[in-house]
Amino acid sequence: MSINLKNELKSEEKNVTEYINKVLSLIEKETVTEEDAAWITKETVDGFREHVNPGFLAYRKTVTEGGQFASVEWSDSGSCFKDVNGKEYIDCLGGFGIYNVGHRHPKVIKAVTDQLKRQALHSQDLLDPLRAMLAKILADITPGDLKYSFFTNSGTESVEAALKLAKMYSERSTFISTTRAFHGKSLGSLSGTAKGMFRKPFLPLIPGFRHVPFGDIDMMRKTFETCSLVGEDVAAVILEPIQGEGGIILPPPNYLKEVRELCDEYGALLIFDEVQTGMGRTGKMFAADLYEVVPDIICLAKAFGGGVMPAGAVVAKEEVFKSWFPNPFMHTTTFGGNPLACAAAIATISVLLEEKLPERAEVVGAYFLDQLKEAAKGHEDKVLEIRGQGLMIGIEFHQDEIGYEVSKGMFDKGILVAGTLINSKTIRIEPSLKISYEEVDTVVSAFKEILSTIEV
């Protein structure tokens, strides 16, 4: 190696080290200066453009015409977050439903910090105690006789685990999902997801998936009958009790109970994807409780880690889960159920129970929904429907452009909302379950004001 090349490598290494040290020093700071904020903003935009994905710069409404972020988020607490310049936003997107107990709830932070002082990750070989304790807690709080847990890092991983569990249970390979469903974007969960835009580039997906209209029990029944007649018996039906990305779509009365009955009749499993609806969001700890239906498998994630740690879980009945007993290594994950994630989940469940947040979601959600509907009166040419359950609310507009203008207008007023991935005409309201009435009123007031400025 030439001397010049060695010197170039040393210089590059020095530059990287200096850059790292600057970033670490910023992480360490409790507050940043205007100069720091300007540097962070520039580095963020440049980094997304050159090293993350420039598509985000075109997509995010936080990008101005000049190509700079109007907001680069930096800190958070309660129901809000702040950008690097100190502007505060009421978070009604909630990380797509992550922050049920709020941003950085002290009890969750303490549990994770206390665990971190002792052990961050486990050896993978010995038995780790918090995984066992969290599994026991889940057996106690989940519906019916759900008993055994497998822990994951995200929603799509939870769905993947549920699909594999269903396949091993019966050795059947046909799954029924629904239109407007969203179950994730890894290959198995994407097979259950409904939107063609996400599916087409990756076809063929996992074979055996059938999609029927959500809420259409007759079509569900005919699909079961057809599958049985042609020897492709259904392994499982996978459903979101309330469709999140589909546009906050509530099921018709008795629909979920009738699906349960069909599954029992044909010997199929019922999988509830409660990645968004779980952990108190709908006014009950789980939407399964809301509709008085016990699934065979339930998928959890998003809010499961308390908005502090990535964490998810699959909880199943013993009869279903026991196919994994002979060889527990049939499906594994390195980081799923790690001590920090388990500590966060245990503390999260504690907060939900002690502060009665599911009950609060029901009451505050009803108030929020009523106030939004009142604010939309006289704007029927813009707003098609406002619907929801608990603090899972959707505002559907007649046109995508109206939804975009409302989202942008509310963002300018310090309120974060966003559309759904499957139904772009609907924006979601999924704030912390601890959001105050005063914050709700602020959101409603801004919504009403913005609606009056939009022309159609």
Side-chain angles (χ1 to χ4, degrees), residues 315-335:
V315 192
K317 296 178 179 179
E318 182 173 0
E319 178 64 24
V320 176
F321 201 95
K322 70 180 183 182
S323 60
W324 284 0
F325 286 178
N327 185 355
F329 297 99
M330 285 301 295
H331 186 70
T332 57
T333 166
T334 301
F335 295 112

Side-chain angles (χ1 to χ4, degrees), residues 131 135 138 145-152 158 161-162 164-170 269 295-298 313-332:
R131 189 160 27 148
L138 284 175
D145 53 350
L146 296 174
K147 184 178 180 183
Y148 283 90
S149 292
F150 175 84
F151 295 107
T152 68
S158 293
K164 290 178 73 174
L165 192 55
K167 279 196 169 192
M168 280 200 70
Y169 169 71
S170 67
L269 300 180
D296 299 291
I297 304 172
I298 195 168
V314 171
V315 192
K317 296 178 179 179
E318 182 173 0
E319 178 64 24
V320 176
F321 201 95
K322 70 180 183 182
S323 60
W324 284 0
F325 286 178
N327 185 355
F329 297 99
M330 285 301 295
H331 186 70
T332 57

Side-chain angles (χ1 to χ4, degrees), residues 245-266:
E245 301 303 330
I248 318 299
I249 307 297
L250 278 66
N254 296 318
Y255 173 68
L256 297 177
K257 287 186 176 181
E258 291 173 316
V259 174
R260 172 75 274 179
E261 290 168 3
L262 273 176
C263 288
D264 292 341
E265 181 181 346
Y266 284 90

